[in-house]
Amino acid sequence: GTELDVLDLLSSLADKSLVTVDLERAEPRYSLLESARYYAREKLVARDEQQLVAASHARAYLEIAERLESTYDTDPDDVWISRAQYELDNWRAALEWSLGKGRDVALGLRLAAALGPVWMRRAAVEGRRWIRMALEAAAADAPPSVVARLELADANVAMHLTLWKHMLSSARRALGLFEQVGDRRGTAEAKIVAGRALALLGRPQEAEALLRTSLEMCQTLGIVRLTGTALESLAMARMTAGDLAGSRPLYLEALSVFADIQDEQSIATVSANLAGMEFRAGNPESALRLAQDALVTQRATNNPRVALLLCNISAYLVATRRFDEARDYAREGLTLAEERHMEVQIAWAVQHLAAIAALRHGEVQSESAAKDRRRAARILGFVDARLIALETSRKYTEQQERDALLTALREAIGAAALDDLMAAGAAMSEDRAVEESLYY
Protein backbone atom coordinates (compact mmCIF):
# COMPACT_ATOMS: atom_id res chain seq x y z
CA GLY A 1 0.00 0.00 0.00
CA THR A 2 1.00 3.66 -0.31
CA GLU A 3 1.65 4.11 3.45
CA LEU A 4 4.05 1.13 3.51
CA ASP A 5 5.87 2.53 0.45
CA VAL A 6 6.30 5.87 2.23
CA LEU A 7 7.59 4.18 5.40
CA ASP A 8 10.06 2.09 3.34
CA LEU A 9 11.29 5.25 1.60
CA LEU A 10 11.69 7.10 4.93
CA SER A 11 13.57 4.14 6.46
CA SER A 12 15.86 4.04 3.43
CA LEU A 13 16.57 7.79 3.64
CA ALA A 14 17.21 7.51 7.39
CA ASP A 15 19.66 4.63 6.77
CA LYS A 16 21.53 6.90 4.35
CA SER A 17 21.56 9.70 6.99
CA LEU A 18 19.58 12.02 4.67
CA VAL A 19 16.63 12.08 7.09
CA THR A 20 16.70 12.26 10.89
CA VAL A 21 14.02 10.60 12.99
CA ASP A 22 12.86 11.73 16.44
CA LEU A 23 11.41 8.81 18.43
CA GLU A 24 11.08 10.74 21.71
CA ARG A 25 7.52 11.88 20.89
CA ALA A 26 4.18 10.07 20.82
CA GLU A 27 4.47 9.87 17.00
CA PRO A 28 7.82 9.44 15.14
CA ARG A 29 8.94 12.70 13.53
CA TYR A 30 11.06 12.78 10.36
CA SER A 31 13.17 15.78 9.29
CA LEU A 32 15.36 16.43 6.26
CA LEU A 33 18.94 17.44 6.93
CA GLU A 34 19.52 21.12 6.14
CA SER A 35 21.79 20.28 3.19
CA ALA A 36 19.19 17.89 1.75
CA ARG A 37 16.44 20.46 2.26
CA TYR A 38 18.49 23.11 0.44
CA TYR A 39 19.16 20.71 -2.48
CA ALA A 40 15.44 19.79 -2.73
CA ARG A 41 14.46 23.46 -2.71
CA GLU A 42 16.90 24.21 -5.55
CA LYS A 43 15.38 21.36 -7.61
CA LEU A 44 11.85 22.65 -7.00
CA VAL A 45 12.84 26.15 -8.08
CA ALA A 46 14.52 24.77 -11.21
CA ARG A 47 11.31 22.90 -12.12
CA ASP A 48 9.11 25.88 -11.19
CA GLU A 49 7.24 23.67 -8.70
CA GLN A 50 8.10 25.57 -5.51
CA GLN A 51 4.72 27.37 -5.35
CA LEU A 52 2.77 24.13 -5.77
CA VAL A 53 4.66 22.55 -2.89
CA ALA A 54 4.30 25.69 -0.70
CA ALA A 55 0.55 25.76 -1.36
CA SER A 56 0.23 22.08 -0.49
CA HIS A 57 2.31 22.64 2.67
CA ALA A 58 0.12 25.60 3.74
CA ARG A 59 -3.10 23.60 3.25
CA ALA A 60 -1.70 20.68 5.26
CA TYR A 61 -0.65 22.92 8.14
CA LEU A 62 -3.96 24.77 8.13
CA GLU A 63 -5.62 21.40 8.64
CA ILE A 64 -3.24 20.58 11.51
CA ALA A 65 -3.89 23.99 13.14
CA GLU A 66 -7.67 23.65 12.90
CA ARG A 67 -7.51 20.12 14.28
CA LEU A 68 -5.37 21.32 17.19
CA GLU A 69 -7.73 24.25 17.83
CA SER A 70 -10.68 21.83 18.01
CA THR A 71 -8.98 19.83 20.81
CA TYR A 72 -7.98 22.91 22.86
CA ASP A 73 -10.87 22.49 25.33
CA THR A 74 -10.36 18.76 25.86
CA ASP A 75 -6.66 17.80 25.56
CA PRO A 76 -4.44 17.82 28.68
CA ASP A 77 -2.46 21.04 28.71
CA ASP A 78 1.03 19.54 28.44
CA VAL A 79 0.03 17.33 25.48
CA TRP A 80 -1.62 20.23 23.65
CA ILE A 81 1.28 22.64 24.20
CA SER A 82 3.85 20.04 23.13
CA ARG A 83 2.03 19.51 19.82
CA ALA A 84 1.71 23.26 19.24
CA GLN A 85 5.36 23.99 20.01
CA TYR A 86 6.60 21.44 17.51
CA GLU A 87 4.72 22.94 14.56
CA LEU A 88 5.50 26.65 15.05
CA ASP A 89 8.13 26.89 12.30
CA ASN A 90 5.84 25.19 9.78
CA TRP A 91 2.99 27.57 10.64
CA ARG A 92 5.31 30.56 10.30
CA ALA A 93 6.31 29.38 6.82
CA ALA A 94 2.64 28.87 5.83
CA LEU A 95 1.65 32.32 7.13
CA GLU A 96 4.59 34.00 5.39
CA TRP A 97 3.65 32.30 2.10
CA SER A 98 -0.11 32.99 2.34
CA LEU A 99 -0.15 36.45 3.97
CA GLY A 100 3.35 37.85 3.61
CA LYS A 101 3.46 37.15 -0.11
CA GLY A 102 -0.33 37.53 -0.46
CA ARG A 103 -0.64 34.26 -2.38
CA ASP A 104 -3.68 32.84 -0.53
CA VAL A 105 -5.15 35.43 1.83
CA ALA A 106 -8.26 33.35 2.59
CA LEU A 107 -6.06 30.48 3.82
CA GLY A 108 -3.85 32.89 5.79
CA LEU A 109 -6.86 34.39 7.58
CA ARG A 110 -8.11 30.96 8.62
CA LEU A 111 -4.64 29.90 9.77
CA ALA A 112 -3.92 33.04 11.83
CA ALA A 113 -7.38 32.65 13.45
CA ALA A 114 -7.01 28.91 14.14
CA LEU A 115 -3.70 29.62 15.88
CA GLY A 116 -5.39 31.97 18.39
CA PRO A 117 -4.84 29.62 21.37
CA VAL A 118 -1.24 28.99 20.25
CA TRP A 119 -0.47 32.73 20.16
CA MET A 120 -2.07 33.16 23.57
CA ARG A 121 -0.14 30.27 25.16
CA ARG A 122 3.21 30.44 23.38
CA ALA A 123 3.95 33.59 21.38
CA ALA A 124 1.79 36.61 22.19
CA VAL A 125 3.96 39.31 20.61
CA GLU A 126 4.58 37.33 17.41
CA GLY A 127 0.93 36.28 17.27
CA ARG A 128 -0.20 39.87 17.48
CA ARG A 129 1.93 40.70 14.43
CA TRP A 130 0.39 37.88 12.33
CA ILE A 131 -3.14 38.68 13.51
CA ARG A 132 -2.74 42.38 12.64
CA MET A 133 -1.37 41.37 9.22
CA ALA A 134 -4.38 39.08 8.68
CA LEU A 135 -6.91 41.71 9.75
CA GLU A 136 -5.31 44.28 7.44
CA ALA A 137 -5.38 41.79 4.56
CA ALA A 138 -9.03 40.81 5.15
CA ALA A 139 -11.28 42.17 2.40
CA ALA A 140 -14.80 43.46 3.04
CA ASP A 141 -16.22 40.13 1.87
CA ALA A 142 -14.06 38.02 4.24
CA PRO A 143 -16.23 35.48 6.13
CA PRO A 144 -17.46 37.17 9.34
CA SER A 145 -16.90 33.92 11.28
CA VAL A 146 -13.17 34.02 10.41
CA VAL A 147 -12.84 37.75 11.15
CA ALA A 148 -14.60 37.17 14.50
CA ARG A 149 -12.01 34.55 15.45
CA LEU A 150 -9.17 36.87 14.41
CA GLU A 151 -10.60 39.69 16.57
CA LEU A 152 -10.97 37.27 19.49
CA ALA A 153 -7.37 36.10 19.07
CA ASP A 154 -6.30 39.75 18.94
CA ALA A 155 -8.14 40.42 22.21
CA ASN A 156 -6.54 37.40 23.91
CA VAL A 157 -2.98 38.36 22.96
CA ALA A 158 -3.69 41.97 24.02
CA MET A 159 -4.61 40.57 27.45
CA HIS A 160 -1.25 38.81 27.70
CA LEU A 161 0.48 42.05 26.72
CA THR A 162 -1.52 44.05 29.32
CA LEU A 163 -3.18 46.24 26.67
CA TRP A 164 -6.64 46.31 28.21
CA LYS A 165 -8.34 49.00 26.12
CA HIS A 166 -7.26 47.24 22.95
CA MET A 167 -8.40 43.94 24.48
CA LEU A 168 -11.88 45.36 25.12
CA SER A 169 -12.37 46.91 21.67
CA SER A 170 -11.23 43.73 19.86
CA ALA A 171 -13.41 41.52 22.09
CA ARG A 172 -16.44 43.72 21.44
CA ARG A 173 -15.92 43.53 17.67
CA ALA A 174 -15.57 39.74 17.95
CA LEU A 175 -18.74 39.54 20.06
CA GLY A 176 -20.81 41.45 17.49
CA LEU A 177 -19.61 39.17 14.68
CA PHE A 178 -20.15 35.93 16.64
CA GLU A 179 -23.69 37.01 17.51
CA GLN A 180 -24.28 37.91 13.83
CA VAL A 181 -23.34 34.39 12.64
CA GLY A 182 -25.03 32.60 15.57
CA ASP A 183 -21.83 31.06 17.00
CA ARG A 184 -22.74 30.36 20.65
CA ARG A 185 -19.30 29.14 21.72
CA GLY A 186 -17.63 32.15 20.15
CA THR A 187 -20.21 34.45 21.74
CA ALA A 188 -19.56 32.93 25.18
CA GLU A 189 -15.78 33.32 24.85
CA ALA A 190 -15.97 36.88 23.49
CA LYS A 191 -18.20 37.84 26.44
CA ILE A 192 -15.61 36.40 28.85
CA VAL A 193 -12.75 38.32 27.23
CA ALA A 194 -14.75 41.57 27.07
CA GLY A 195 -15.87 41.09 30.68
CA ARG A 196 -12.33 40.40 31.81
CA ALA A 197 -11.13 43.55 30.03
CA LEU A 198 -13.82 45.62 31.78
CA ALA A 199 -12.73 44.20 35.15
CA LEU A 200 -9.09 45.04 34.40
CA LEU A 201 -10.15 48.56 33.41
CA GLY A 202 -11.83 49.02 36.81
CA ARG A 203 -15.44 48.61 35.61
CA PRO A 204 -16.54 45.58 37.68
CA GLN A 205 -20.32 46.02 37.43
CA GLU A 206 -20.31 46.04 33.62
CA ALA A 207 -17.85 43.14 33.74
CA GLU A 208 -20.06 40.98 35.95
CA ALA A 209 -23.13 41.46 33.78
CA LEU A 210 -21.26 39.99 30.78
CA LEU A 211 -19.43 37.33 32.77
CA ARG A 212 -22.52 35.89 34.47
CA THR A 213 -24.28 35.39 31.11
CA SER A 214 -21.13 33.85 29.62
CA LEU A 215 -20.76 31.49 32.59
CA GLU A 216 -24.33 30.24 32.08
CA MET A 217 -23.65 29.74 28.35
CA CYS A 218 -20.43 27.79 29.03
CA GLN A 219 -22.16 25.55 31.56
CA THR A 220 -25.08 24.94 29.18
CA LEU A 221 -22.72 24.14 26.30
CA GLY A 222 -20.54 21.94 28.56
CA ILE A 223 -17.29 23.75 27.70
CA VAL A 224 -15.15 22.95 30.73
CA ARG A 225 -12.06 25.09 30.11
CA LEU A 226 -14.14 28.19 29.29
CA THR A 227 -16.28 27.58 32.39
CA GLY A 228 -13.11 27.79 34.48
CA THR A 229 -12.03 30.98 32.69
CA ALA A 230 -15.46 32.56 33.27
CA LEU A 231 -15.26 31.72 36.99
CA GLU A 232 -11.74 33.10 37.26
CA SER A 233 -12.77 36.29 35.43
CA LEU A 234 -15.75 36.73 37.77
CA ALA A 235 -13.36 36.36 40.71
CA MET A 236 -11.20 39.11 39.22
CA ALA A 237 -14.24 41.36 38.80
CA ARG A 238 -15.21 40.80 42.45
CA MET A 239 -11.65 41.59 43.51
CA THR A 240 -11.67 44.79 41.41
CA ALA A 241 -14.88 45.79 43.20
CA GLY A 242 -13.05 45.34 46.53
CA ASP A 243 -15.02 42.20 47.51
CA LEU A 244 -12.11 39.96 48.49
CA ALA A 245 -14.35 37.59 50.48
CA GLY A 246 -16.58 37.08 47.43
CA SER A 247 -13.58 36.68 45.14
CA ARG A 248 -11.82 33.84 46.97
CA PRO A 249 -14.49 31.06 46.54
CA LEU A 250 -14.80 31.86 42.82
CA TYR A 251 -11.03 31.52 42.39
CA LEU A 252 -11.09 28.20 44.26
CA GLU A 253 -13.95 26.93 42.08
CA ALA A 254 -11.97 27.90 38.97
CA LEU A 255 -8.91 26.06 40.35
CA SER A 256 -11.02 22.92 40.79
CA VAL A 257 -12.27 23.11 37.18
CA PHE A 258 -8.74 23.55 35.80
CA ALA A 259 -7.39 20.74 37.98
CA ASP A 260 -10.00 18.36 36.52
CA ILE A 261 -8.65 18.93 32.98
CA GLN A 262 -4.98 19.13 34.08
CA ASP A 263 -4.65 22.69 32.76
CA GLU A 264 -1.38 23.60 34.47
CA GLN A 265 -1.04 27.03 32.85
CA SER A 266 -4.50 28.12 33.98
CA ILE A 267 -3.87 26.76 37.48
CA ALA A 268 -0.73 28.91 37.59
CA THR A 269 -2.69 31.95 36.34
CA VAL A 270 -5.33 31.49 39.08
CA SER A 271 -2.60 31.06 41.71
CA ALA A 272 -0.94 34.28 40.50
CA ASN A 273 -4.29 36.11 40.73
CA LEU A 274 -4.91 34.67 44.19
CA ALA A 275 -1.49 36.05 45.14
CA GLY A 276 -2.62 39.49 43.96
CA MET A 277 -5.74 39.15 46.07
CA GLU A 278 -3.73 38.21 49.18
CA PHE A 279 -1.41 41.16 48.59
CA ARG A 280 -4.39 43.50 48.29
CA ALA A 281 -5.78 42.03 51.52
CA GLY A 282 -2.54 43.00 53.30
CA ASN A 283 -0.93 39.55 53.34
CA PRO A 284 2.31 39.96 51.33
CA GLU A 285 3.89 36.75 52.70
CA SER A 286 0.90 34.66 51.56
CA ALA A 287 1.05 36.49 48.22
CA LEU A 288 4.73 35.58 47.86
CA ARG A 289 4.13 31.88 48.56
CA LEU A 290 1.31 31.64 46.00
CA ALA A 291 3.20 33.65 43.38
CA GLN A 292 6.39 31.62 43.75
CA ASP A 293 4.41 28.37 43.39
CA ALA A 294 2.81 29.76 40.24
CA LEU A 295 6.23 30.83 38.96
CA VAL A 296 7.55 27.25 39.07
CA THR A 297 4.73 26.12 36.74
CA GLN A 298 4.99 29.17 34.50
CA ARG A 299 8.73 28.63 34.05
CA ALA A 300 8.24 24.91 33.34
CA THR A 301 5.63 25.63 30.66
CA ASN A 302 7.44 28.69 29.23
CA ASN A 303 4.33 30.78 29.92
CA PRO A 304 4.38 34.18 28.14
CA ARG A 305 3.21 35.83 31.38
CA VAL A 306 6.37 34.89 33.33
CA ALA A 307 7.70 38.47 32.98
CA LEU A 308 4.54 39.89 34.60
CA LEU A 309 4.68 37.40 37.48
CA LEU A 310 8.37 38.16 38.11
CA CYS A 311 7.47 41.86 38.32
CA ASN A 312 4.61 41.15 40.75
CA ILE A 313 6.92 39.10 43.00
CA SER A 314 9.38 41.99 42.95
CA ALA A 315 6.62 44.35 44.12
CA TYR A 316 5.63 41.98 46.95
CA LEU A 317 9.28 41.84 48.06
CA VAL A 318 9.56 45.66 47.91
CA ALA A 319 6.52 45.87 50.20
CA THR A 320 8.30 43.58 52.72
CA ARG A 321 11.54 45.61 52.32
CA ARG A 322 13.52 42.65 50.92
CA PHE A 323 15.21 44.89 48.38
CA ASP A 324 18.06 42.66 47.16
CA GLU A 325 15.69 39.78 46.32
CA ALA A 326 13.25 42.24 44.77
CA ARG A 327 15.99 43.60 42.50
CA ASP A 328 16.88 40.10 41.22
CA TYR A 329 13.25 39.36 40.28
CA ALA A 330 12.73 42.79 38.65
CA ARG A 331 15.93 42.47 36.61
CA GLU A 332 14.94 39.02 35.36
CA GLY A 333 11.46 40.31 34.56
CA LEU A 334 13.01 43.21 32.65
CA THR A 335 15.30 40.91 30.64
CA LEU A 336 12.40 38.65 29.64
CA ALA A 337 10.13 41.60 28.82
CA GLU A 338 12.83 43.10 26.58
CA GLU A 339 13.47 39.77 24.82
CA ARG A 340 9.74 39.43 24.10
CA HIS A 341 9.12 43.14 23.32
CA MET A 342 6.51 43.40 26.11
CA GLU A 343 6.29 47.17 26.47
CA VAL A 344 4.00 47.33 29.52
CA GLN A 345 6.06 44.77 31.46
CA ILE A 346 9.21 46.78 30.69
CA ALA A 347 7.52 49.78 32.31
CA TRP A 348 6.55 47.75 35.41
CA ALA A 349 10.07 46.35 35.77
CA VAL A 350 11.80 49.74 35.60
CA GLN A 351 9.27 51.16 38.10
CA HIS A 352 10.10 48.34 40.54
CA LEU A 353 13.83 48.95 40.09
CA ALA A 354 13.30 52.67 40.69
CA ALA A 355 11.31 51.93 43.87
CA ILE A 356 14.02 49.57 45.11
CA ALA A 357 16.77 52.14 44.48
CA ALA A 358 14.97 54.95 46.31
CA LEU A 359 13.22 53.12 49.15
CA ARG A 360 16.20 51.01 50.24
CA HIS A 361 17.84 54.16 51.67
CA GLY A 362 14.97 54.81 54.09
CA GLU A 363 15.43 58.33 55.47
CA VAL A 364 19.22 58.35 55.07
CA GLN A 365 20.59 61.51 53.43
CA SER A 366 23.76 60.84 51.44
CA GLU A 367 25.14 61.61 47.99
CA SER A 368 24.41 58.04 46.88
CA ALA A 369 20.83 58.21 48.19
CA ALA A 370 20.26 61.58 46.49
CA LYS A 371 21.43 60.22 43.10
CA ASP A 372 19.21 57.15 43.41
CA ARG A 373 16.19 59.29 44.33
CA ARG A 374 16.72 61.62 41.36
CA ARG A 375 16.98 58.64 39.02
CA ALA A 376 13.87 57.09 40.57
CA ALA A 377 11.91 60.32 40.05
CA ARG A 378 12.91 60.47 36.37
CA ILE A 379 11.99 56.82 35.85
CA LEU A 380 8.62 57.36 37.51
CA GLY A 381 7.97 60.22 35.09
CA PHE A 382 8.91 57.93 32.20
CA VAL A 383 6.57 55.15 33.39
CA ASP A 384 3.63 57.54 33.84
CA ALA A 385 4.09 58.88 30.30
CA ARG A 386 4.62 55.39 28.85
CA LEU A 387 1.40 54.03 30.32
CA ILE A 388 -0.56 56.95 28.86
CA ALA A 389 1.00 56.30 25.45
CA LEU A 390 0.14 52.59 25.68
CA GLU A 391 -3.41 53.39 26.85
CA THR A 392 -3.12 51.23 29.94
CA SER A 393 -3.00 51.84 33.68
CA ARG A 394 -1.64 50.46 36.92
CA LYS A 395 -3.46 47.78 38.87
CA TYR A 396 -3.36 47.71 42.68
CA THR A 397 0.12 46.13 42.91
CA GLU A 398 1.82 48.80 40.81
CA GLN A 399 -0.33 51.67 42.10
CA GLN A 400 0.38 51.11 45.80
CA GLU A 401 4.11 50.98 45.01
CA ARG A 402 3.89 54.22 43.01
CA ASP A 403 2.05 55.89 45.92
CA ALA A 404 4.71 54.77 48.43
CA LEU A 405 7.55 55.86 46.13
CA LEU A 406 5.97 59.23 45.37
CA THR A 407 5.46 59.97 49.08
CA ALA A 408 9.06 59.03 49.92
CA LEU A 409 10.48 61.11 47.05
CA ARG A 410 8.36 64.15 47.89
CA GLU A 411 9.58 64.06 51.50
CA ALA A 412 13.22 63.56 50.50
CA ILE A 413 13.63 66.01 47.60
CA GLY A 414 10.60 68.31 47.77
CA ALA A 415 7.52 68.64 45.52
CA ALA A 416 9.01 71.19 43.06
CA ALA A 417 12.19 69.18 42.37
CA LEU A 418 10.12 66.01 42.07
CA ASP A 419 7.84 67.58 39.45
CA ASP A 420 10.83 68.82 37.43
CA LEU A 421 12.56 65.43 37.50
CA MET A 422 9.37 63.57 36.54
CA ALA A 423 8.81 65.96 33.64
CA ALA A 424 12.38 65.29 32.43
CA GLY A 425 11.74 61.54 32.76
CA ALA A 426 8.57 61.77 30.70
CA ALA A 427 10.72 62.79 27.72
CA MET A 428 13.19 59.90 28.15
CA SER A 429 13.41 57.05 25.65
CA GLU A 430 12.71 53.50 26.80
CA ASP A 431 16.38 52.59 26.29
CA ARG A 432 17.48 55.47 28.51
CA ALA A 433 14.95 54.56 31.24
CA VAL A 434 16.14 50.94 31.21
CA GLU A 435 19.77 52.09 31.39
CA GLU A 436 19.03 54.36 34.37
CA SER A 437 17.08 51.60 36.15
CA LEU A 438 20.12 49.29 35.98
CA TYR A 439 22.59 51.70 37.59
CA TYR A 440 21.96 50.18 41.01
Side-chain angles (χ1 to χ4, degrees):
T2 307
E3 287 185 17
L4 286 174
D5 291 343
V6 170
L7 284 172
D8 285 344
L9 176 59
L10 284 171
S11 297
S12 169
L13 291 169
D15 290 343
K16 295 181 176 72
S17 299
L18 292 168
V19 163
T20 58
V21 58
D22 177 3
L23 298 172
E24 296 294 312
R25 306 171 55 75
E27 299 170 347
R29 185 84 184 199
Y30 295 89
S31 302
L32 272 175
L33 292 182
E34 188 60 38
S35 54
R37 188 183 294 123
Y38 181 80
Y39 175 77
R41 190 183 298 123
E42 291 296 301
K43 288 291 184 187
L44 287 170
V45 170
R47 293 181 184 180
D48 206 22
E49 292 176 3
Q50 192 177 16
Q51 294 312 315
L52 287 171
V53 172
S56 180
H57 173 274
R59 285 194 296 273
Y61 277 91
L62 170 62
E63 187 182 324
I64 290 169
E66 290 185 334
R67 195 161 63 238
L68 191 70
E69 183 191 28
S70 72
T71 64
Y72 178 61
D73 290 319
T74 51
D75 274 357
D77 210 44
D78 56 342
V79 173
W80 192 92
I81 284 173
S82 173
R83 285 178 182 152
Q85 186 68 28
Y86 215 80
E87 304 297 0
L88 269 172
D89 282 342
N90 280 304
W91 286 324
R92 287 178 182 123
L95 284 165
E96 181 58 42
W97 178 82
S98 58
L99 289 176
K101 305 286 195 306
R103 291 196 175 97
D104 191 338
V105 171
L107 186 151
L109 299 187
R110 282 175 62 190
L111 180 55
L115 292 172
V118 176
W119 305 136
M120 182 172 60
R121 307 291 269 207
R122 305 309 291 158
V125 173
E126 179 188 357
R128 189 166 190 239
R129 191 170 66 249
W130 289 119
I131 292 162
R132 300 312 300 169
M133 189 186 291
L135 284 167
E136 284 165 17
D141 61 349
S145 58
V146 176
V147 178
R149 287 162 62 226
L150 281 168
E151 293 284 9
L152 182 63
D154 196 37
N156 273 319
V157 296
M159 173 181 67
H160 279 277
L161 298 172
T162 332
L163 300 168
W164 300 317
K165 278 191 179 177
H166 187 95
M167 175 187 174
L168 178 60
S169 57
S170 295
R172 280 178 163 162
R173 285 193 295 273
L175 178 56
L177 289 165
F178 281 129
E179 288 178 333
Q180 177 188 320
V181 298
D183 183 335
R184 294 183 71 210
R185 189 207 182 282
T187 297
E189 186 171 2
K191 283 186 173 183
I192 292 172
V193 180
R196 196 179 182 91
L198 286 163
L200 288 163
L201 288 164
R203 295 156 65 180
Q205 288 180 316
E206 293 170 79
E208 282 203 50
L210 273 178
L211 291 168
R212 295 227 173 257
T213 60
S214 65
L215 177 59
E216 287 171 20
M217 289 180 77
C218 293
Q219 289 169 332
T220 303
L221 293 166
I223 309 168
V224 178
R225 193 190 294 266
L226 274 186
T227 299
T229 306
L231 285 163
E232 184 222 338
S233 302
L234 268 171
M236 185 188 293
R238 285 283 82 222
M239 187 166 72
T240 305
D243 178 14
L244 303 187
S247 178
R248 187 176 278 106
L250 288 163
Y251 272 133
L252 295 176
E253 197 178 341
L255 270 179
S256 174
V257 170
F258 291 134
D260 284 345
I261 58 169
Q262 300 174 325
D263 184 345
E264 294 295 330
Q265 283 215 32
S266 293
I267 289 168
T269 298
V270 176
S271 296
N273 287 339
L274 271 168
M277 188 190 69
E278 289 292 344
F279 186 65
R280 192 165 180 157
N283 305 319
E285 293 299 337
S286 297
L288 272 170
R289 280 195 299 276
L290 282 161
Q292 283 167 333
D293 284 348
L295 183 62
V296 172
T297 302
Q298 288 201 359
R299 284 194 200 278
T301 55
N302 196 25
N303 190 300
R305 292 174 72 80
V306 170
L308 178 60
L309 187 54
L310 287 164
C311 288
N312 284 349
I313 292 172
S314 176
Y316 304 157
L317 288 163
V318 169
T320 57
R321 304 194 67 76
R322 286 147 69 178
F323 295 118
D324 288 346
E325 286 178 77
R327 183 181 56 198
D328 291 342
Y329 280 100
R331 282 182 170 174
E332 188 186 351
L334 176 58
T335 300
L336 272 180
E338 286 189 300
E339 282 173 8
R340 298 174 181 184
H341 308 288
M342 303 175 86
E343 296 170 308
V344 179
Q345 278 75 18
I346 291 170
W348 295 157
V350 297
Q351 175 181 302
H352 299 323
L353 288 166
I356 292 159
L359 298 176
R360 68 186 175 139
H361 293 292
E363 296 178 10
V364 170
Q365 295 295 336
S366 67
E367 189 177 336
S368 167
K371 281 183 179 176
D372 283 347
R373 287 172 185 136
R374 286 197 295 272
R375 273 198 291 267
R378 285 195 295 272
I379 290 168
L380 200 55
F382 162 80
V383 175
D384 284 359
R386 196 83 180 106
L387 297 181
I388 290 167
L390 292 168
E391 294 191 305
T392 192
S393 56
R394 292 173 174 87
K395 288 201 289 182
Y396 176 83
T397 300
E398 295 82 26
Q399 187 60 45
Q400 60 78 36
E401 181 183 77
R402 180 189 188 275
D403 293 344
L405 177 56
L406 209 58
T407 300
L409 290 174
R410 196 176 285 120
E411 287 175 3
I413 63 179
L418 177 59
D419 288 345
D420 289 346
L421 287 162
M422 287 182 69
M428 276 199 302
S429 67
E430 184 183 275
D431 286 348
R432 179 65 184 164
V434 167
E435 190 182 332
E436 292 221 350
S437 77
L438 294 171
Y439 274 133
Y440 23 81

